[in-house]
Amino acid sequence: MGDGSVNLPPGFQFHPTDEELVVHFLYCKASLLPCHPDVIPDLDLHLQDPWQLNGKALSSGNQWYFFSRVTENRVTKNGYWKKLDNIDEPIFTSASTKVGIKKYLVFCIGEAPAGIETNWLMEEYHLSSRGLLSNTSYKRRRNPKLDSSQWVLCRVHERKGDSRQGLCYDDDDDGTELSCLDEMFLSLDDDYDEISLPN
Amino acid sequence: MSEDMNLSVNGQSQVPPGFRFHPTEEELLHYYLRKKVASETIDLNVIRDVDLNKLEPWDIQEKCKIGSTPQNDWYFFSHKDKKYPTGTRTNRATAAGFWKATGRDKVICSSCKRIGMRKTLVFYMGRAPHGQKSDWIMHEYRLDESNTHNTSASNAVGDTSPEDGWVVCRVFRKKNYQKSLESPKSSSTSIDSRTQMLNSSNNDGVLDQILLYMGRSCKQEIETIGNINISNNDENMRFLTPNNTSIVEGLHERFMHLPRLESPTLPSLAPHNSGSPFDQDRSLKACYQSIDDMFRETEPSSTNQVSGCNTSPDGPKAGLNDWAALDRLVASQLNGQVDTSKQLSCFSDPNMGFCLSPDDNDVQLSHLRSHRPNQTSQQVYNSEIDLWSFTRSSSSSSTDPLSHLSV
């Protein structure tokens, strides 16, 4: 799988917004519409430990994307996905229509409920059929017989290092972050007197 | 097809949903800018040409849009043919303000080879010198001349721009958390951003900043040494090869050492900031040269002391601490400390980093001397000789050898 069906020049990454994931990819999947680009594969969540996703799920940056059947029992061979306590996060379009929710999960090794938490995290995107169906433009364009209960879109990544990063999904932005040095010079341009280097 | 249609066919975007243009620096230089310079066509024409003088940063967003996914950064080609009438500096003024270069240029490498340079600019509203700084930042990438023409003369000097004059630019808005740096009073947040900066893989080390402040940094010189040794394309530099590993390792070690050292305060450095990167380089060269000259005047014959290095076997690891020692020296100089004898003593340490190998230091030293006039890697030689000069002075002089330095 992968992004073989997309022929783009160097420098493009699959880096979708939540809205794109739900409205474009998950909606097409659930409504059995052809999805272009057809880059996200179907996987059986039960068969995949997160470290086995490489080569099976769509990989971009440090994220893996795949569709899975909805299930409440997210047990895999070596562990299980545990829902985090967060309230499910609603996903809105730019027009403030609620189109879906996402759930946060963490992978635990062992048997529930005594498993050991790992650094593997998942965002599970669910379609909010009411939101999409109430939107007339979608109603007109898409198949209204939407089976929103059947599919979820999973985005998995392994948290690196400390927990400070938390559920931050921004990749290491090459070049758009200012380097430490740039920062210093920028500060110095303002006033030379107020800055001192860290110890 | 009009220029505005280059990313879409019949109103349909060629970039599928979910895909974002976010090239690496290597892709920008190696793929896009090289094709541009060579006038080759680029698929989808993703990066368009922009007249920087006619484009305000807030218009870039619309003009340089790629695909439908929201963007945090925008890209364009620009031709640096606009010069001020009085000089060679590029005119980057727009109707509403101007782009001002900040810091010094960063070397962009690809698999250990230098491929280009990156200049960082900030957009100011208004007219210099009374402009008001905005949070629009531009990274301007240019190809390294030595990359396209394999002549050695300009290899060591990073400030030449390719004849063609095309650059590729990335524009973005500075993120908010970075503001914390500008207000030292909010200590907790600035600690956060410091941690962030130190943790970020892309960032220059803190030591690097200090060294960079002095203009042409040791790091860059080391990179030059490393490159030359790896590619082995310069006969004159072969003698350095045995030391290659330790220098490169030393680089990393250096970064780890620096933050623990006494931190110099920046105000003393400020004068260096006023000039353009070019000025800084020049002034630093002058510094090196003057230190060098001074030592040669005071210590005409010094090979004996240097050969003390022969007495102890030094593995490749030996170089690591000595870089830290050099850093300490630089830091103390920047800090305005007068007592340098303590720091300098480390340079007479038999294990010092620039002892190339136990057996042939003298030979190598004479190499350094004899090749000195060779212009090819003048800077490399200069810095090496500086180190040797420190060694000599440490035993002979207790006064501050750098007192004339205006840092």
Side-chain angles (χ1 to χ4, degrees):
Chain A
M1 198 71 194
D3 48 4
S5 59
V6 183
N7 194 15
L8 290 169
F12 281 94
Q13 292 174 1
F14 187 63
H15 202 287
T17 61
D18 284 349
E19 182 187 344
E20 282 173 324
L21 281 179
V22 171
V23 170
H24 189 81
F25 292 94
L26 186 54
Y27 186 90
C28 290
K29 185 75 184 171
S31 55
L32 308 174
L33 287 168
C35 187
H36 176 79
D38 186 14
V39 287
I40 303 180
D42 303 343
L43 291 178
D44 188 338
L45 186 69
H46 299 291
L47 300 179
Q48 317 296 335
D49 288 323
W51 48 88
Q52 296 178 314
L53 290 172
N54 219 356
K56 296 176 187 166
L58 167 63
S59 159
S60 180
N62 52 356
Q63 313 275 327
W64 285 271
Y65 300 86
F66 61 93
F67 290 115
S68 178
R69 291 280 173 186
V70 170
T71 174
E72 276 307 311
N73 166 25
R74 300 183 186 87
V75 176
T76 71
K77 193 176 160 201
N78 289 298
Y80 59 97
W81 288 99
K82 182 176 84 178
K83 241 188 102 186
L84 291 171
D85 290 335
N86 309 31
I87 302 162
D88 296 345
E89 189 179 312
I91 294 164
F92 294 99
T93 64
S94 41
S96 301
T97 310
K98 186 183 170 191
V99 288
I101 53 162
K102 67 175 166 181
K103 301 178 176 184
Y104 292 92
L105 303 102
V106 60
F107 189 75
C108 300
I109 292 178
E111 284 187 27
I116 301 157
E117 284 193 13
T118 67
N119 280 336
W120 289 95
L121 299 169
M122 183 198 288
E123 283 170 295
E124 195 181 72
Y125 292 83
H126 295 251
L127 215 50
S128 151
S129 57
R130 188 177 300 162
L132 276 182
L133 289 172
S134 67
N135 183 323
T136 48
S137 67
Y138 282 109
K139 214 180 219 166
R140 204 166 48 236
R141 278 171 50 205
R142 314 283 199 193
N143 182 356
K145 286 181 204 159
L146 176 69
D147 187 9
S148 63
S149 59
Q150 289 299 301
W151 291 98
V152 290
L153 202 164
C154 304
R155 167 148 91 171
V156 174
H157 85 289
E158 186 180 16
R159 185 169 56 193
K160 297 274 186 262
D162 54 8
S163 57
R164 189 168 42 82
Q165 299 277 327
L167 290 160
C168 169
Y169 282 88
D170 257 354
D171 332 358
D172 182 22
D173 272 8
D174 176 36
T176 51
E177 298 292 341
L178 286 172
S179 72
C180 191
L181 177 64
D182 288 336
E183 283 292 342
M184 189 184 68
F185 277 114
L186 282 177
S187 313
L188 284 169
D189 281 348
D190 277 351
D191 36 18
Y192 301 142
D193 295 331
E194 288 189 45
I195 204 91
S196 64
L197 281 178
N199 280 316
Chain B
M1 187 162 66
S2 89
E3 204 196 344
D4 289 341
M5 296 292 286
N6 59 359
L7 278 177
S8 56
V9 175
N10 298 328
Q12 189 99 37
S13 174
Q14 294 262 298
V15 181
F19 284 85
R20 191 176 69 155
F21 186 59
H22 194 69
T24 63
E25 297 181 319
E26 188 180 341
E27 284 167 335
L28 274 180
L29 280 165
H30 243 159
Y31 185 84
Y32 288 99
L33 188 52
R34 280 223 310 216
K35 279 194 167 220
K36 183 70 186 175
V37 169
S39 302
E40 292 173 36
T41 51
I42 296 168
D43 296 338
L44 297 187
N45 199 11
V46 279
I47 303 182
R48 56 184 63 194
D49 299 351
V50 154
D51 183 347
L52 192 61
N53 303 98
K54 292 190 183 137
L55 186 69
E56 309 300 342
W58 41 89
D59 296 330
I60 288 173
Q61 197 159 340
E62 197 48 44
K63 177 106 177 158
C64 302
K65 202 174 158 183
I66 299 170
S68 55
T69 301
Q71 288 171 258
N72 298 320
D73 47 359
W74 297 270
Y75 300 83
F76 57 85
F77 292 118
S78 173
H79 198 265
K80 294 211 301 182
D81 54 1
K82 299 281 193 312
K83 301 275 196 285
Y84 289 106
T86 50
T88 55
R89 289 170 61 189
T90 308
N91 175 8
R92 297 188 186 87
T94 71
F98 59 95
W99 291 98
K100 180 175 177 255
T102 182
R104 68 191 311 283
D105 297 358
K106 180 191 170 196
V107 180
I108 307 295
C109 291
S110 161
S111 48
C112 295
K113 259 188 76 181
R114 184 171 144 163
I115 57 170
M117 298 290 283
R118 182 183 89 185
K119 187 186 285 298
T120 304
L121 303 105
V122 186
F123 189 77
Y124 286 73
M125 324 260 255
R127 283 284 169 256
H130 303 295
Q132 195 194 350
K133 189 158 81 171
S134 74
D135 53 1
W136 287 98
I137 311 286
M138 175 159 70
H139 282 157
E140 183 190 271
Y141 297 88
R142 62 181 188 270
L143 287 171
D144 210 351
E145 193 172 295
S146 59
N147 194 39
T148 40
H149 315 279
N150 247 343
T151 53
S152 52
S154 59
N155 273 0
V157 186
D159 302 308
T160 51
S161 56
E163 300 152 19
D164 188 77
W166 281 107
V167 292
V168 62
C169 302
R170 180 205 314 263
V171 169
F172 57 98
R173 296 187 80 156
K174 195 160 69 119
K175 289 185 179 141
N176 279 336
Y177 69 83
Q178 288 159 336
K179 297 222 177 204
S180 60
L181 262 188
E182 289 163 24
S183 56
K185 277 139 213 158
S186 55
S187 55
S188 62
T189 45
S190 62
I191 285 170
D192 268 359
S193 56
R194 276 195 307 214
T195 325
Q196 235 159 352
M197 294 190 306
L198 291 173
N199 285 345
S200 165
S201 55
N202 253 349
N203 283 335
D204 312 83
V206 177
L207 168 59
D208 211 19
Q209 296 175 21
I210 300 174
L211 292 174
L212 283 168
Y213 235 114
M214 304 205 44
R216 174 74 46 193
S217 72
C218 290
K219 180 186 172 197
Q220 201 159 337
E221 279 149 14
I222 286 164
E223 279 170 355
T224 317
I225 296 172
N227 288 347
I228 291 170
N229 282 338
I230 288 161
S231 56
N232 233 347
N233 59 1
D234 186 337
E235 288 292 320
N236 295 326
M237 294 301 292
R238 290 248 166 108
F239 70 93
L240 278 175
T241 306
N243 201 27
N244 190 20
T245 340
S246 69
I247 291 180
V248 174
E249 282 178 36
L251 247 186
H252 297 288
E253 190 72 7
R254 209 157 48 94
F255 292 155
M256 309 191 62
H257 275 285
L258 191 79
R260 286 198 295 267
L261 301 177
E262 277 183 289
S263 68
T265 49
L266 289 175
S268 60
L269 303 176
H272 267 290
N273 192 38
S274 53
S276 72
F278 296 81
D279 296 336
Q280 288 177 21
D281 288 336
R282 235 179 278 131
S283 68
L284 186 79
K285 259 189 196 164
C287 278
Y288 276 155
Q289 195 60 50
S290 55
I291 300 172
D292 197 28
D293 289 342
M294 191 187 68
F295 286 137
R296 268 191 297 160
E297 278 165 31
T298 54
E299 284 282 321
S301 70
S302 54
T303 355
N304 286 348
Q305 291 167 18
V306 175
S307 66
C309 297
N310 283 341
T311 56
S312 124
D314 52 343
K317 283 273 172 195
L320 304 186
N321 290 329
D322 301 290
W323 272 109
L326 173 60
D327 298 337
R328 228 173 289 135
L329 171 70
V330 172
S332 70
Q333 288 299 325
L334 295 179
N335 218 5
Q337 290 177 13
V338 187
D339 177 22
T340 53
S341 51
K342 206 174 80 185
Q343 283 93 354
L344 281 174
S345 65
C346 52
F347 286 98
S348 53
D349 188 320
N351 287 327
M352 77 172 272
F354 271 79
C355 293
L356 304 182
S357 69
D359 295 322
D360 41 27
N361 276 313
D362 286 334
V363 180
Q364 283 154 350
L365 233 201
S366 62
H367 252 90
L368 279 170
R369 299 253 150 104
S370 61
H371 283 291
R372 174 99 204 276
N374 189 323
Q375 309 158 344
T376 325
S377 302
Q378 181 92 26
Q379 268 178 307
V380 176
Y381 292 137
N382 278 352
S383 68
E384 298 252 78
I385 287 165
D386 289 344
L387 284 172
W388 291 116
S389 305
F390 283 134
T391 316
R392 287 177 249 150
S393 74
S394 64
S395 58
S396 66
S397 160
S398 60
T399 60
D400 182 5
L402 301 177
S403 55
H404 68 292
L405 254 182
S406 58
V407 281

